[in-house]
């Protein structure tokens, strides 16, 4: 047995992810296009293609490097007949519309030269009608040698009309569920997982892994991936608490931390949350306003429910391709988004920016949360981007913000303060998520010596420690300090 249990890749604890939905990020003239696409700037539709591609991402690496990110998570890139590519045709071919394998390897090499990691979306629960084994059965019926690759209940297959008579995801005939109990299917998936790791990708994000309700399957998956590269990252899309997948150290390294998303929305969104828009978000209850005390307790608890090695490797996100954007959920209130970013950039786990969040892109439910990135800079919220860029620089310059302990020391109404501590550094983060300026005194629990001057890392303010306290600190509305 390999020694890859009970540890997660160190690079992830120091990562800042940028999530890209490939059809919508950037378009390159270097990729030949077979036909016309929807207008880039028109609102997205359910089935429409905008024509973003991987050479477009390659050409925007300067933009991403300038922002400060050091890892990219891509929504699916393999050949597929859908704009989101969760209907895989061929797990070994990057979609020709994205530039094919050649564009991907060009991008991968250039990203690695800049120390930017690449994590791909692994859709292993279901395939598509165009996946060759399923297509084989569509054409040849029970004679097909691939017959047992799916769970089929009758013939002919109702692949387009009527109720599907085979197992598929959410009863959608376009998404036939793979029979992962079949050793051939398992081998096929494991070979795909290993192949792309050997080709140089830095990890897999697993789509709906809870649908493959089989611990042995995921333990084998971890062995295969970590044998190919012990530093590869395995992150599962599990919206609920995920003790089952993270507590043994034998399955995933992390999950997409939608539990943190939910609590961040509840606190930073407060009374401003659009509950109608938030209804049914990721299958969770609609977030409702909570105070700083509840938020401090929940954010501490979310670090405690998994072994530390795993809780510090979580993928911490404020929104994604599967939910309305944070900004739209809080009534386009930029101040609330800023405070939420200040929090996730100073909390353990890998902060994740969904493409366009940094410039103030809005969007409701799917498909509106998947708009094209506007490259016309007059449409950007520059102040927001500068703020997020500065937070990234501070996180990258202070290791304690990445791997230090998280210790809430003050929480009242809309004011939160917490220490980040390691053997070398101590940082105090102070956030006023409310609409009124407040004057507070923050107990420091012996963290700093008397008369230490604490300097804000994102602004001009400084404060002096007196009697183990920061006394009478006035914090304007929707403002935060990172004091070191």
């Amino acid at each position: 047995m390999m020694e890859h249990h009970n540890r997660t890749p160190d690079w992830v604890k120091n990562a800042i992810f940028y999530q890209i939905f490939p059809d919508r990020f950037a378009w390159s003239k270097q990729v030949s296009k077979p036909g016309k696409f929807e207008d880039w700037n028109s609102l997205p539709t359910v089935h429409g293609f905008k024509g973003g591609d991987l050479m477009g991402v390659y050409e925007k690496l300067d933009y991403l490097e300038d922002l400060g990110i050091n890892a990219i998570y891509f929504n699916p890139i393999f050949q597929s007949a859908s704009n989101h590519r969760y209907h895989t045709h061929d797990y070994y071919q990057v979609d020709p519309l994205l530039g094919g394998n050649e564009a991907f390897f060009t991008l991968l090499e250039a990203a690695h030269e800049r120390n930017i990691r690449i994590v791909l979306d692994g859709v292993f629960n279901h395939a598509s009608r165009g996946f060759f084994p399923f297509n084989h059965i569509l054409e040849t019926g029970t004679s097909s040698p691939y017959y047992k690759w799916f769970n089929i209940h009758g013939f002919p297959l109702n692949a387009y009309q009527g109720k599907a008579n085979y197992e598929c995801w959410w009863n959608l005939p376009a998404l036939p569920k793979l029979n992962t109990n079949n050793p051939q299917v398992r081998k096929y998936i494991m070979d795909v997982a290993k192949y792309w790791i050997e080709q140089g990708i830095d990890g897999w994000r697993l789509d709906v892994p809870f649908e493959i309700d089989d611990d042995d399957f995921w333990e084998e998956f971890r062995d295969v991936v970590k044998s190919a590269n012990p530093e590869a990252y395995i992150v599962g899309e599990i919206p609920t608490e995920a003790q089952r997948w993270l507590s043994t150290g034998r399955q995933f390294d992390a999950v997409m931390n939608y539990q943190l998303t939910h609590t961040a929305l509840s606190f930073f969104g407060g009374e401003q949350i659009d509950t109608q828009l938030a209804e049914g978000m990721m299958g969770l209850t609609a977030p409702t306003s909570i105070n700083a005390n509840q938020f401090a307790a929940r954010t501490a608890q979310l670090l405690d429910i998994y072994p530390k090695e795993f809780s510090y490797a979580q993928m911490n996100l404020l929104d994604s391709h599967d939910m309305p954007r944070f900004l739209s959920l809080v009534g386009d209130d930029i101040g609330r988004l800023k405070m939420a970013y200040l929090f996730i950039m100073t909390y353990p786990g890998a902060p994740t920016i969904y493409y366009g969040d940094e410039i103030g892109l809005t969007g409701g439910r799917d498909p509106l949360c998947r708009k094209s990135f506007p490259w016309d800079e007059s449409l950007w919220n520059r102040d927001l981007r500068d703020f997020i860029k500065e937070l990234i620089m501070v996180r990258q310059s202070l290791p304690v913000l990445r791997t230090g302990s998280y210790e809430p020391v003050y929480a009242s109404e809309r004011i939160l303060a917490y220490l980040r501590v390691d053997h070398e550094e101590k940082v105090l983060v102070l956030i006023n998520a409310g609409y009124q300026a407040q004057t507070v005194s923050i107990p420091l629990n012996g963290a700093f010596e008397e008369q230490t001057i604490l300097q804000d890392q994102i602004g001009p303010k400084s404060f002096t420690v007196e009697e183990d306290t920061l006394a009478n600190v006035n914090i304007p509305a929707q403002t935060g300090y990172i004091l070191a």
Side-chain angles (χ1 to χ4, degrees), residues 265-281:
L265 202 55
S266 303
F267 179 58
F268 294 104
E271 300 302 324
Q272 192 75 25
I273 300 166
D274 183 335
T275 44
Q276 225 172 343
L277 195 56
E279 190 59 53
M281 175 190 114

Side-chain angles (χ1 to χ4, degrees), residues 88-89 91 127-136 149-150 178 188:
T88 315
H89 276 185
Y91 289 88
S128 70
R129 290 177 291 224
F131 180 49
F132 75 93
F134 191 82
N135 192 252
H136 204 281
W149 278 46
F150 303 88
L178 289 158
Y188 180 85

Side-chain angles (χ1 to χ4, degrees), residues 103-176:
F104 177 68
F105 289 123
T106 300
L107 170 62
L108 183 67
E109 187 180 354
H112 282 170
E113 277 171 12
R114 299 172 188 241
N115 293 318
I116 295 173
R117 316 264 178 166
I118 303 282
V119 171
L120 296 184
D121 210 319
V123 188
F124 301 128
N125 173 65
H126 48 261
S128 70
R129 290 177 291 224
F131 180 49
F132 75 93
F134 191 82
N135 192 252
H136 204 281
I137 302 165
L138 269 177
E139 299 290 345
T140 62
T142 46
S143 313
S144 173
Y146 296 105
Y147 180 60
K148 294 279 194 226
W149 278 46
F150 303 88
N151 292 308
I152 293 168
H153 307 311
F155 275 97
L157 292 183
N158 301 337
Y160 290 91
Q161 252 82 51
K163 189 174 182 302
N165 52 358
Y166 49 89
E167 279 181 34
C168 43
W169 190 70
W170 281 39
N171 300 321
L172 296 167
L175 295 171

Side-chain angles (χ1 to χ4, degrees), residues 68-126:
I69 63 102
N70 56 13
I72 299 171
Y73 151 47
F74 279 107
N75 286 104
I77 64 169
F78 302 129
Q79 191 178 311
S80 169
S82 66
N83 59 33
H84 49 72
R85 301 188 168 85
Y86 283 97
H87 303 45
T88 315
H89 276 185
D90 186 337
Y91 289 88
Y92 287 98
Q93 296 302 320
V94 173
D95 200 308
L97 295 179
L98 295 178
N101 288 10
E102 191 186 357
F104 177 68
F105 289 123
T106 300
L107 170 62
L108 183 67
E109 187 180 354
H112 282 170
E113 277 171 12
R114 299 172 188 241
N115 293 318
I116 295 173
R117 316 264 178 166
I118 303 282
V119 171
L120 296 184
D121 210 319
V123 188
F124 301 128
N125 173 65
H126 48 261

Side-chain angles (χ1 to χ4, degrees), residues 18 20-33 40 50-64 72 74 96-100 102-104 106-108 110 114 373 375:
Y18 193 84
I20 292 179
F21 191 89
D23 186 60
R24 307 291 156 79
F25 183 64
W27 165 302
S28 171
K29 291 188 175 68
Q30 293 187 66
V31 175
S32 66
K33 314 280 180 175
W40 186 257
K50 300 291 187 194
D53 58 66
L54 296 178
M55 290 310 289
V57 181
Y58 168 80
E59 289 162 10
K60 299 297 184 189
L61 285 173
D62 282 350
Y63 170 85
L64 295 172
I72 299 171
F74 279 107
L97 295 179
L98 295 178
E102 191 186 357
F104 177 68
T106 300
L107 170 62
L108 183 67
R114 299 172 188 241
F373 190 105
W375 288 102

Side-chain angles (χ1 to χ4, degrees), residues 273-336:
I273 300 166
D274 183 335
T275 44
Q276 225 172 343
L277 195 56
E279 190 59 53
M281 175 190 114
M282 296 308 298
L284 306 172
T285 56
T288 52
S289 181
I290 59 173
N291 63 30
N293 213 18
Q294 293 164 299
F295 181 69
R298 181 63 177 153
T299 49
Q301 183 185 26
L302 284 172
L303 293 174
D304 287 341
I305 60 178
Y306 312 125
K308 182 179 175 185
E309 187 66 15
F310 294 79
S311 59
Y312 277 56
Q314 297 301 302
M315 183 182 261
N316 293 338
L317 61 164
L318 292 176
D319 52 35
S320 74
H321 64 292
D322 278 331
M323 60 174 279
R325 288 189 183 256
F326 190 102
L327 200 49
S328 293
L329 287 169
V330 300
D332 295 354
D333 186 330
I334 295 281
R336 290 176 186 270

